[in-house]
C-alpha cells in the first residue's frame, strides 16, 4: 500500500523527475504526429495509386494490343460473373506534346504519357472524374473529352486569330517562287536520298493506317485532358494561405498538338511487318486533371480511346482492360487467378495484376520508410528511458536513508522494488498521457500549425510543388496510439528496473547510517 | 531454553567490519539478557559499536558469530520476509536524527508501519482502525495539531516524538532507541526522556536505548557499558557519571 502513496508523493515533490516526464512526453507526441502524418500520406498515396489504376489490370504484352475489345470485355464478365463492377479498355503510350502558351510564340515540347480512355467506363472503374477540374465533367464524365460550349467557342476564336497569323505568314512565304518551294521540299525531284531508292524491288511503304481526313484547321478537333502541372505554373511567391497559387498557362479551348508513334508490330496493308511512324494531330484542351500527385499531374494526358485507335492504327484494339471489382479485399486473389488461368487471357500474351502488384515496389518502399522512421523515433523514447534511468539512479542514492528507514519499519525487498517500479510507471503514465494529448492536438491542428509557421517564417514547411495536397493528410489510428503508449510505459518501467533493484538490495543497517 | 520472562537475549555476539584491507572488530562477544518490561540504557564511547549492537538486536544486520533470541525464537537466522515481519510488528526503532520520511505528513509517517503491514485491499478495510490508533498516539505525544505538517516544519523534539509515535504504531514489544536525545535541546530531551519512562511503566514496553544523556541513563533499570567490544554492567551512579565523561560525548 505504502508504495503507491510514496510513489505518488515522489512524483509530486521531485521536480527532477519532470525532465524525464517531458522527454517521454515529447517522444510519445512525436511518434503519434509522425505516424499519423505518414499514415495520412501513405493512405492518400495508396488511394491515388489505386484510383489512377483500377483493382485489376489485364495488359496485353504486345504494343499493338488485342483485337475485338467488346468481346474481351464480355469475356471478363463471363469469367468473373457478378464480382465485376465495371471494365474499361485503355491504350497507353508515350507521346510528345507541343503547344505554345498564349502571349508567347515559343513552342513548348513535353514528353507525356498518353492514355486513351473511354471516359464513361473509365470513370466507373477508378477515380477519374473526381480529378477533373470542371465540375460539370465531374458529374458527367462521359462528355469530358467533347469540344462543346464555351470550350468550342474559345477554340474557334483562338483558331481564327491563328489563321490570321498564318495568312500573314503565307503572304511572306508567298513572295517565294512556288516552284522553288516544291523543288526544295520534294525529295523525288532531287535524285536519290533514301538508301533503298536505287533498289526498284524495294516494297512501297504502307500508307498510314487511317490518316486524319482533313487538315486540323478545317476539322472539329478532338478533346484532350492535360495533367494540371503541364498547364499551370506556380506563382513564385505563393503563400500557403493563398487560394490561387498557380497561373493557368493553358485553358480549356486552347490548342495543343500531340505526336505519337503508330503501333509497332501491326502488319502493313500488304501483309509485311510494319514499323512505327510518327503521327501528329491537333487537340483541344477540354479540361485539366489534378490528382494531387505531382508525378502524374506533370506527365499524364488523356485522349479518347477512339482517337488513340485512329492515330495508332489500332482499329478495334486496346492494350489493357481496367477492371473494378465489387469487393476488392475478398475477391482480388481469386479474380486474378481465374483471369490468368482462363483461355481468353493466356499468360504468354496477357499480364494480369492487381494494382498492388503493379505498384509493389513503391508501396514496399513506403512501408520500409515508415518502419525505419518508427525505429528511429522509438529511439527518442529510448533516450527518454535513459533519462529516467539516470534520474532514478540519483533518486535512489538520495533516498538511501529513507529506504533504510522503510526497511527498519518492516518493508520487504519486493515492497521497495515495487515502490520504485511504480514510480517509474507513474512517470511513464504521466509522460505518455501528456504526450498523447499533445500529439493528438498537434495532429488535429497540423494544418493550422503549418500555416502559422509559414506565416511567421515566410517559408513553406510543406512544399506544395512536390505534393499538391492542399492540406497535410493525417490518419490517426487508435491502435497506433495505444501501441506507442504501451511502448513508452514499457521503456519507463524497464529503465527503472535496475535502480529499483539496487534500492531493494540496499543493506538496511548501512542505509540507516547513511547521512 | 531461555527463561519465559526473558524477551531478548544475545549470546556471544561478534561483528567486524572491513575497511579496505583492515578488519575492525567492533563487537567481541556481547552477552545480553533483557527481561520483559525492562528499560535498559547502554552507554559507551562513540565508535564503540553501540549502533551496531542495536542493529544486530533489531535484525537490521546479521552477526558474524553468536545468536539473537527474541521471545523464545532465534531471530538472526530468520528468512528476510520473517525478519521484515518481526521489524514491522514486534520491534520499534528510534534514531538520533529522527529519520522521518520528508515527503509525508506526520500522520502519514505515523501510519507508515500499518501501511507496510497491509496490502492495498486490507489497507482499505483497516484504514479507519489504523487512523484511530495513529491519532491516539499523536494525542498521547501531544502532536495532534501538527499531524498535517511536514517533518521539516517541526522542531527536533516534535520530530523525535513523531518518530516515537511511528515506532509504537504497531504496538511492538521491544523499542530500540539509538541516542534518542542526542540531537535535542535540554527541554525536549527531558520530555522525550519522561515519555520513554512513562511508556515503559504504563505499557510494560521493553526499551533498550543507547544514550549519552545523564538523566535518561539514570531513569534506566540497568545501565550497561559497551567498551572494547564487550558489555559490562554499570550500576553505581558515580561510575555512571565517570563512564559518561570518559565517553566524552555527553551533551
Ligand atoms: N558499514 C560499515 N563499514 C565499516 N565500518 C563501519 C560500518 N559501520 C560502522 N563501522 C565502524 O564500526 C565502528 C562502530 O560504529 P557504531 O556502531 O556506529 O558506533 P557507535 O554507535 O557506538 O558510535 C565505528 O568505528 C565505525 O566506523
Ligand atoms: Mg551510533
Amino acid at each position: 500500500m505504502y508504495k503507491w502513496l510514496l510513489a505518488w508523493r515522489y512524483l509530486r515533490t521531485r521536480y527532477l523527475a519532470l525532465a524525464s516526464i517531458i522527454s517521454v512526453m515529447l517522444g510519445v507526441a512525436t511518434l503519434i504526429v509522425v505516424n499519423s502524418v505518414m499514415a495520412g500520406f501513405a493512405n492518400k498515396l495508396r488511394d491515388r495509386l489505386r484510383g489512377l489504376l483500377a483493382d485489376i489490370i489485364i495488359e496485353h504484352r504486345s504494343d499493338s494490343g488485342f483485337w475485338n475489345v467488346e468481346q474481351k470485355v464480355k469475356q471478363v464478365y463471363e469469367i468473373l460473373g457478378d464480382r465485376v463492377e465495371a471494365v474499361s479498355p485503355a491504350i497507353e503510350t508515350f507521346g510528345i506534346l507541343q503547344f505554345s502558351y498564349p502571349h508567347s510564340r515559343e513552342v513548348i515540347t513535353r514528353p507525356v504519357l498518353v492514355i486513351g480512355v473511354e471516359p464513361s467506363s473509365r470513370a466507373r472503374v477508378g477515380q477519374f472524374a473526381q480529378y477533373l477540374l470542371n465540375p460539370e465533367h465531374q458529374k458527367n464524365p462521359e462528355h469530358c473529352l467533347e469540344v462543346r460550349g464555351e470550350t468550342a467557342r474559345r477554340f474557334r476564336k483562338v483558331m481564327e486569330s491563328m489563321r490570321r497569323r498564318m495568312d500573314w505568314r503565307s503572304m511572306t512565304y508567298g513572295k517565294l517562287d512556288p516552284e522553288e518551294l516544291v523543288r526544295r521540299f520534294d525529295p523525288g525531284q532531287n535524285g536519290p536520298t533514301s538508301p533503298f531508292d536505287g533498289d526498284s524491288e524495294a516494297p512501297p511503304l504502307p500508307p498510314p493506317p487511317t490518316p486524319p481526313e482533313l487538315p486540323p484547321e478545317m476539322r472539329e478537333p478532338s478533346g484532350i485532358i492535360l495533367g494540371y502541372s503541364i498547364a499551370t505554373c506556380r506563382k513564385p511567391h505563393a503563400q500557403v494561405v493563398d487560394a490561387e497559387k498557380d497561373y493557368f498557362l493553358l485553358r480549356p479551348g486552347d490548342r495543343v498538338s500531340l505526336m505519337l508513334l503508330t503501333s509497332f508490330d501491326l502488319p502493313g496493308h500488304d501483309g509485311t511487318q510494319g514499323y512505327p511512324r510518327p503521327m501528329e494531330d491537333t487537340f483541344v484542351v477540354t479540361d485539366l486533371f489534378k490528382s494531387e500527385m505531382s508525378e502524374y499531374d506533370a506527365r499524364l494526358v488523356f485522349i479518347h480511346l477512339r482517337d488513340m485507335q485512329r492515330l495508332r492504327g489500332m482499329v478495334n484494339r486496346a492494350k489493357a482492360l481496367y477492371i473494378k471489382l465489387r469487393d476488392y479485399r475478398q475477391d482480388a486473389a481469386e479474380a486474378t487467378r481465374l483471369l490468368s488461368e482462363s483461355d481468353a487471357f493466356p499468360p504468354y500474351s496477357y499480364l494480369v495484376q492487381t494494382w498492388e502488384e503493379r505498384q509493389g515496389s513503391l508501396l514496399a518502399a513506403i512501408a520500409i520508410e515508415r518502419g525505419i522512421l518508427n525505429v528511429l523515433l522509438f529511439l527518442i523514447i529510448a533516450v527518454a528511458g535513459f533519462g529516467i534511468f539516470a534520474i532514478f539512479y540519483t533518486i535512489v542514492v538520495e533516498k538511501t536513508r529513507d529506504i533504510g528507514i522503510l526497511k527498519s519499519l518492516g518493508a520487504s525487498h519486493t515492497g521497495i522494488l515495487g515502490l520504485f517500479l511504480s514510480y517509474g510507471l507513474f512517470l511513464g503514465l504521466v509522460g505518455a498521457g501528456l504526450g498523447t494529448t499533445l500529439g493528438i492536438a498537434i495532429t488535429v491542428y497540423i494544418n493550422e500549425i503549418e500555416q502559422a509557421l509559414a506565416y511567421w517564417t515566410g517559408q513553406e514547411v510543406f512544399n506544395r510543388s512536390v505534393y499538391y495536397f492542399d492540406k497535410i493528410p493525417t490518419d490517426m489510428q487508435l491502435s497506433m496510439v495505444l501501441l506507442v503508449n504501451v511502448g513508452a510505459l514499457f521503456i519507463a518501467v524497464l529503465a527503472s528496473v535496475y535502480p529499483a533493484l539496487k534500492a531493494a538490495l540496499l543493506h538496511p543497517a548501512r542505509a540507516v547510517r547513511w547521512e | 531454553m531461555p527463561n519465559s520472562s526473558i524477551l531478548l537475549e544475545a549470546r556471544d555476539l561478534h561483528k567486524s567490519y572491513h575497511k579496505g584491507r583492515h578488519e575492525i572488530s567492533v563487537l567481541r562477544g556481547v552477552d545480553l539478557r533483557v527481561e520483559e518490561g525492562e528499560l535498559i540504557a547502554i552507554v559507551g564511547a562513540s565508535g564503540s559499536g553501540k549502533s551496531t549492537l542495536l542493529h544486530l538486536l533489531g535484525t537490521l544486520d546479521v552477526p558474524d558469530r553468536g545468536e539473537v533470541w527474541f521471545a523464545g525464537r532465534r531471530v538472526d537466522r530468520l528468512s528476510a520476509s520473517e525478519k521484515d515481519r518481526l521489524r514491522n510488528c514486534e520491534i520499534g526503532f528510534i534514531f538520533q536524527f529522527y529519520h522521518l520520511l520528508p515527503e509525508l505528513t506526520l500522520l502519514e509517517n505515523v501510519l507508515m508501519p500499518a501501511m507496510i503491514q497491509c496490502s492495498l485491499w486490507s489497507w482499505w478495510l483497516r484504514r479507519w482502525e489504523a487512523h484511530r490508533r495513529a491519532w491516539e498516539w499523536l494525542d498521547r505525544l501531544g502532536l495532534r495539531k501538527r499531524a498535517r505538517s511536514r517533518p521539516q516544519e517541526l522542531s527536533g523534539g516534535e520530530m523525535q516524538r513523531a518518530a516515537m509515535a511511528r515506532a509504537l504504531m504497531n504496538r511492538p514489544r521491544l523499542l530500540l532507541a539509538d541516542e534518542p536525545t542526542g540531537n535535542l535541546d535540554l527541554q525536549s530531551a527531558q520530555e522525550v526522556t519522561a515519555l520513554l519512562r512513562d511508556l515503559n511503566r504504563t505499557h510494560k514496553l521493553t526499551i533498550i536505548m543507547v544514550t549519552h544523556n545523564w538523566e535518561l541513563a539514570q531513569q534506566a533499570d540497568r545501565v550497561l557499558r559497551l567498551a572494547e567490544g564487550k558489555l559490562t554492567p554499570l550500576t553505581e551512579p558515580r561510575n555512571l557519571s565517570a563512564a559518561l565523561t570518559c565517553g566524552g560525548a555527553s551533551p
Side-chain angles (χ1 to χ4, degrees):
Chain A
M1 156 61 206
Y2 65 99
K3 47 183 175 270
W4 300 107
L5 177 69
L6 271 176
W8 179 239
R9 282 296 155 80
Y10 285 172
L11 189 70
R12 284 189 21 198
T13 51
R14 303 275 107 191
Y15 291 111
L16 190 59
L18 261 178
S20 55
I21 288 181
I22 287 173
S23 52
V24 172
M25 179 182 92
L26 290 181
V28 167
T30 323
L31 265 176
I32 288 177
V33 172
V34 168
N35 262 306
S36 305
V37 172
M38 284 209 67
F41 268 106
N43 282 358
K44 201 140 186 175
L45 193 67
R46 282 176 72 91
D47 184 56
R48 292 297 137 97
L49 288 176
R50 183 178 177 183
L52 289 170
L53 287 168
D55 291 348
I56 291 181
I57 299 104
I58 303 177
E59 196 180 13
H60 197 272
R61 293 184 196 271
S62 80
D63 183 57
S64 57
F66 51 84
W67 186 71
N68 202 349
V69 178
E70 240 171 77
Q71 192 211 335
K72 286 291 173 196
V73 171
K74 216 176 286 167
Q75 278 173 335
V76 169
Y77 276 102
E78 275 162 20
I79 293 166
L80 296 182
D82 53 356
R83 275 180 271 233
V84 190
E85 191 169 313
V87 181
S88 176
I91 300 175
E92 257 181 48
T93 188
F94 289 99
I96 294 173
L97 187 74
Q98 279 195 334
F99 54 91
S100 48
Y101 293 130
H103 318 300
S104 100
R105 299 270 179 82
E106 290 146 21
V107 176
I108 291 161
T109 309
R110 286 271 183 90
V112 287
L113 187 62
V114 190
I115 304 179
V117 294
E118 247 175 39
S120 55
S121 66
R122 169 70 236 201
R124 273 183 285 132
V125 146
Q127 294 160 350
F128 172 71
Q130 52 267 62
Y131 298 146
L132 300 177
L133 282 199
N134 187 340
E136 192 66 29
H137 290 156
Q138 287 180 5
K139 260 178 268 156
N140 303 309
E142 60 272 19
H143 301 308
C144 68
L145 285 165
E146 289 170 15
V147 184
R148 307 187 308 166
E150 184 54 38
T151 307
R153 246 195 311 285
R154 192 175 139 82
F155 173 65
R156 279 207 201 91
K157 243 171 65 194
V158 170
M159 288 316 288
E160 192 56 42
S161 70
M162 210 168 88
R163 202 169 301 149
R164 236 177 281 133
R165 229 183 316 167
M166 292 281 277
D167 285 349
W168 176 80
R169 211 186 288 174
S170 67
M171 272 156 62
T172 27
Y173 280 127
K175 296 215 175 92
L176 288 172
D177 179 9
E179 299 241 324
E180 167 72 13
L181 276 177
V182 169
R183 208 169 49 75
R184 252 191 228 172
F185 289 107
D186 185 356
Q189 293 198 359
N190 255 359
T193 49
S194 154
F196 300 109
D197 241 31
D199 186 1
S200 57
E201 295 300 298
L205 296 176
T210 41
E213 313 78 15
L214 285 169
E217 289 86 0
M218 313 183 68
R219 188 164 49 82
E220 198 74 338
S222 322
I224 189 170
I225 297 173
L226 301 182
Y228 185 79
S229 322
I230 299 175
T232 59
C233 78
R234 177 62 35 117
K235 289 179 184 167
H237 298 292
Q239 288 286 317
V240 187
V241 284
D242 293 350
E244 288 286 323
K245 289 189 271 290
D246 304 304
Y247 296 118
F248 282 86
L249 299 170
L250 287 173
R251 287 172 191 281
D254 282 337
R255 186 193 109 120
V256 299
S257 51
L258 181 67
M259 200 198 295
L260 303 172
L261 289 182
T262 58
S263 166
F264 262 80
D265 39 9
L266 277 183
H269 285 185
D270 53 357
T272 53
Q273 182 71 25
Y275 50 90
R277 63 189 59 193
M279 292 295 291
E280 195 224 5
D281 201 359
T282 296
F283 287 87
V284 179
V285 178
T286 54
D287 206 344
L288 298 182
F289 177 85
K290 187 181 184 186
S291 66
E292 297 189 328
M293 300 258 300
S294 56
E295 185 79 351
Y296 289 82
D297 290 352
R299 261 166 27 110
L300 286 193
V301 151
F302 291 90
I303 60 177
H304 202 287
L305 184 65
R306 210 175 45 225
D307 294 319
M308 183 66 114
Q309 286 171 334
R310 174 171 59 81
L311 280 172
R312 298 203 73 202
M314 291 170 66
V315 182
N316 199 8
R317 284 173 171 274
K319 203 166 138 45
L321 288 177
Y322 286 10
I323 302 170
K324 183 173 177 62
L325 300 176
R326 280 186 210 284
D327 188 346
Y328 176 74
R329 274 170 188 277
Q330 193 190 321
D331 293 337
E334 177 72 0
T336 353
R337 194 181 60 75
L338 281 176
L339 286 172
S340 47
E341 281 175 4
S342 72
D343 292 335
F345 302 102
Y348 46 81
S349 46
Y350 289 93
L351 183 64
V352 182
Q353 283 177 311
T354 63
W355 75 274
E356 281 168 304
E357 285 163 358
R358 190 135 176 174
Q359 300 285 7
S361 54
L362 183 56
L363 294 178
I366 295 170
I368 290 172
E369 194 183 13
R370 215 169 144 188
I372 289 176
L373 204 60
N374 260 310
V375 169
L376 290 182
L377 288 173
F378 224 82
L379 285 183
I380 296 181
I381 296 192
V383 169
F386 278 104
I388 294 182
F389 177 84
I391 286 164
F392 259 61
Y393 203 86
T394 49
I395 286 178
V396 166
V397 170
E398 196 188 308
K399 290 280 161 210
T400 300
R401 206 192 56 191
D402 291 13
I403 294 163
I405 298 167
L406 286 170
K407 287 205 167 149
S408 79
L409 294 176
S412 59
H413 291 325
T414 46
I416 302 286
L417 190 71
L419 164 63
F420 283 93
L421 287 184
S422 31
Y423 185 27
L425 185 70
F426 278 171
L427 282 182
L429 272 176
V430 174
L434 290 177
T436 304
T437 323
L438 185 69
I440 290 176
I442 292 180
T443 308
V444 170
Y445 292 106
I446 190 151
N447 285 294
E448 286 79 354
I449 292 171
E450 196 239 338
Q451 280 186 8
L453 279 181
Y455 182 78
W456 286 332
T457 60
Q459 277 258 319
E460 235 179 329
V461 181
F462 160 63
N463 189 348
R464 297 297 196 288
S465 60
V466 180
Y467 298 100
Y468 273 77
F469 306 150
D470 275 336
K471 291 194 164 172
I472 301 174
T474 57
D475 177 25
M476 204 170 1
Q477 295 283 323
L478 182 67
S479 58
M480 179 270 294
V481 174
L482 285 181
L483 197 72
V484 167
N485 272 286
V486 169
L489 289 185
F490 177 73
I491 283 186
V493 173
L494 194 71
S496 48
V497 165
Y498 179 73
L501 269 175
K502 189 178 153 64
L505 298 178
L506 274 180
H507 194 286
R510 245 172 262 170
V512 171
R513 277 175 201 271
W514 197 84
E515 295 302 332
Chain B
M1 190 67 207
N3 193 319
S4 59
S5 72
I6 287 182
L7 181 67
L8 183 76
E9 182 171 3
R11 293 181 192 161
D12 193 28
L13 286 183
H14 284 75
K15 180 77 185 173
S16 51
Y17 292 112
H18 296 272
K19 238 180 208 165
R21 271 199 232 134
H22 304 281
E23 187 173 308
I24 311 168
S25 98
V26 181
L27 301 182
R28 283 169 251 163
V30 171
D31 288 295
L32 175 68
R33 285 177 143 219
V34 183
E35 282 180 31
E36 186 114 42
E38 250 188 322
L39 196 164
I40 290 185
I42 295 174
V43 295
S46 93
S48 58
K50 306 180 295 288
S51 300
T52 305
L53 177 60
L54 279 197
H55 292 160
L56 291 182
L57 296 180
T59 70
L60 279 181
D61 210 344
V62 276
D64 296 337
R65 186 138 68 83
E67 300 169 5
V68 181
W69 292 74
F70 181 84
R73 210 154 54 118
R74 185 164 172 196
V75 292
D76 56 317
R77 294 268 179 267
L78 285 180
S79 72
S81 60
E82 280 174 308
K83 279 184 186 172
D84 290 336
R85 238 195 58 72
L86 190 78
R87 286 197 296 266
N88 187 231
C89 304
E90 314 266 13
I91 302 175
F93 280 94
I94 319 178
F95 305 94
Q96 179 177 1
F97 296 101
Y98 333 120
H99 285 2
L100 296 173
L101 298 172
E103 278 84 13
L104 305 181
T105 63
L106 268 202
L107 179 64
E108 285 161 342
N109 263 295
V110 173
L111 284 170
M112 195 39 81
M115 289 192 201
I116 288 174
Q117 195 179 19
C118 298
S119 67
L120 195 56
W121 172 239
S122 60
W123 172 250
W124 186 251
L125 297 178
R126 288 160 55 182
R127 66 197 191 287
W128 297 125
E129 203 270 326
H131 271 92
R132 193 185 51 70
R133 256 190 298 148
W135 279 112
E136 243 172 49
W137 280 116
L138 286 170
D139 260 347
R140 174 91 204 276
L141 300 176
L143 290 167
R144 172 166 270 277
K145 289 207 193 91
R146 297 305 208 158
R148 306 270 177 209
S149 344
R150 291 285 162 87
Q152 55 270 32
E153 297 159 13
L154 302 177
S155 72
E158 285 169 322
M159 282 199 265
Q160 194 59 291
R161 276 182 280 152
M164 281 169 68
R166 181 177 67 182
L168 297 169
M169 177 67 194
N170 276 0
R171 302 184 186 290
R173 296 167 72 182
L174 174 67
L175 185 67
L176 299 174
D178 192 352
E179 303 192 37
T181 58
N183 220 30
L184 297 179
D185 59 78
L186 192 62
Q187 195 188 337
S188 309
Q190 276 170 353
E191 277 172 25
V192 169
T193 311
L195 271 170
L196 282 176
R197 182 77 254 189
D198 187 42
L199 285 168
N200 172 251
R201 292 236 173 89
T202 52
H203 291 265
K204 290 267 169 278
L205 180 69
T206 315
I207 301 178
I208 301 177
M209 59 186 172
V210 167
T211 187
H212 287 297
N213 186 312
W214 165 250
E215 261 180 77
L216 188 50
Q218 268 188 330
Q219 304 276 335
D221 301 328
R222 270 197 292 155
V223 180
L224 301 169
R225 180 172 175 215
L226 185 63
E228 274 147 26
K230 302 229 167 161
L231 266 185
T232 43
L234 206 138
T235 36
E236 296 294 308
R238 191 165 37 80
N239 294 356
L240 176 60
S241 97
L244 285 175
T245 34
C246 82
S250 62

